[in-house]
Amino acid sequence: MKVLLMQQPKSFSNYPKWIEEIQERFNRLEVMVFTSNDRAAHHSWPNSVIKEIHHRVKNNLQTVAGLLRMEARRSDLPEVRKALQESISRIESMALVHDIVSHYDEDYISIRSIFDELGRLLRSSLMNQQEKVELLYQGDEEVISSHKAGYVSLIINELITNSLEHGFTEDQEEALISLTVEDRPDQIFLDYRDTGRGFPQNFDLGKSKRLGLQIISNLVTHELKGTLDLSNNPQGGVRIQITMSKD
């Protein structure tokens, strides 16, 4: 494969235009993604074909992440490296879903698998070996389609990343991230918590400039047809409650 690297901006002010150029190049990648409805339309296709599609999508996403990682290493600007690393984590969270589904006969994945695997990946990439953070999954063993799992993986990626990067203090002895899943008649309920410092006083999601929280809000509202509630635990840390439709 021949890879052409782009000339990086010399100042952070030129960064948005540079990112647009990266985005334009990546948009040329032809990636086949089938939703559960697409799968029903192609029910005559053998599982081996569907699994191969997921495998190739995963490879394409990992190629994109690899290119971004190369650009991050070449940059002397901390803002650029941080922004690219965040993009890499998001892409890898999507690739993870396709990787897991490619190993199973059915086009479904458990929320526990997404949480456990993303937690392992993010802890290894964002934490020092000396730091100790426990990740705990509780509740029902809920299984969702690979299409919906792509959105859920992005949400869980943003939640864990925010906790690891902003939630815990350096002198905190016990750090816990938990996800409780509840199967309701027409909905799936997710209750995410950490034992960190919590949201700032008078925090307003509508006024927040954190891209990660904006991504979560948009995905929950528009893609999962659900609701989102953010609050602080009386015992400390954040509590984020998400409901999403089963349809």
Side-chain angles (χ1 to χ4, degrees):
M1 176 187 295
K2 185 177 181 181
V3 179
L4 298 177
L5 298 180
M6 294 174 291
Q7 184 175 0
Q8 288 189 351
K10 295 183 179 179
S11 67
F12 189 66
S13 61
N14 295 326
Y15 173 63
K17 184 177 180 181
W18 182 62
I19 282 295
E20 285 181 10
E21 187 178 351
I22 293 177
Q23 220 168 23
E24 184 180 344
R25 291 193 181 194
F26 291 160
N27 284 340
R28 298 180 195 141
L29 287 173
E30 296 183 1
V31 179
M32 298 175 65
V33 181
F34 290 91
T35 65
S36 56
N37 290 333
D38 295 323
R39 182 181 173 85
H42 297 284
H43 63 275
S44 61
W45 289 22
N47 284 332
S48 59
V49 174
I50 302 298
K51 291 166 69 174
E52 179 63 21
I53 289 171
H54 282 293
H55 181 70
R56 294 192 181 192
V57 171
K58 178 208 70 172
N59 288 344
N60 283 337
L61 289 171
Q62 288 182 336
T63 298
V64 173
L67 291 171
L68 286 175
R69 196 172 287 109
M70 292 171 66
E71 294 291 351
R73 285 198 294 263
R74 295 172 65 240
S75 177
D76 296 326
L77 300 173
E79 299 95 334
V80 172
R81 289 198 301 270
K82 186 176 186 298
L84 287 174
Q85 183 55 53
E86 290 174 352
S87 296
I88 291 168
S89 294
R90 291 172 185 132
I91 292 169
E92 288 181 336
S93 73
M94 292 185 288
L96 174 68
V97 170
H98 292 284
D99 183 38
I100 294 175
V101 174
S102 69
H103 292 87
Y104 292 90
D105 290 335
E106 295 299 325
D107 201 23
Y108 292 89
I109 183 173
S110 70
I111 296 177
R112 176 192 285 273
S113 296
I114 298 172
F115 180 75
D116 289 346
E117 289 300 314
L118 278 177
R120 180 183 59 79
L121 288 173
L122 291 170
R123 277 194 298 188
S124 63
S125 62
L126 298 178
M127 296 173 55
N128 298 323
Q129 291 184 351
Q130 294 80 10
E131 297 177 296
K132 302 294 183 183
V133 176
E134 180 184 357
L135 278 85
L136 176 64
Y137 181 95
Q138 304 176 104
D140 297 320
E141 296 290 339
E142 195 66 32
V143 176
I144 55 179
S145 69
S146 62
H147 176 63
K148 187 169 288 186
Y151 301 130
V152 173
S153 69
L154 279 171
I155 291 169
I156 293 177
N157 176 80
E158 298 301 330
L159 292 173
I160 297 178
T161 298
N162 281 334
S163 292
L164 294 178
E165 290 189 340
H166 309 292
F168 303 115
T169 60
E170 294 183 0
D171 58 348
Q172 188 165 341
E173 294 183 0
E174 295 184 1
L176 173 66
I177 293 173
S178 68
L179 178 66
T180 302
V181 177
E182 182 181 336
D183 185 359
R184 296 178 175 178
D186 298 314
Q187 295 177 326
I188 300 172
F189 175 68
L190 307 180
D191 188 354
Y192 177 91
R193 307 186 190 199
D194 71 27
T195 56
R197 56 170 60 94
F199 292 113
Q201 190 174 7
N202 300 321
F203 174 79
D204 185 349
L205 177 60
K207 298 179 180 179
S208 174
K209 295 184 179 180
R210 287 189 187 177
L211 178 59
L213 292 177
Q214 293 173 13
I215 289 174
I216 293 171
S217 178
N218 287 334
L219 290 176
V220 170
T221 303
H222 301 296
E223 303 299 340
L224 298 177
K225 311 302 180 186
T227 62
L228 174 67
D229 181 69
L230 283 70
S231 62
N232 282 327
N233 276 324
Q235 299 85 0
V238 302
R239 182 180 186 186
I240 300 174
Q241 299 174 86
I242 297 170
T243 61
M244 58 189 235
S245 171
K246 286 186 176 180
D247 298 334

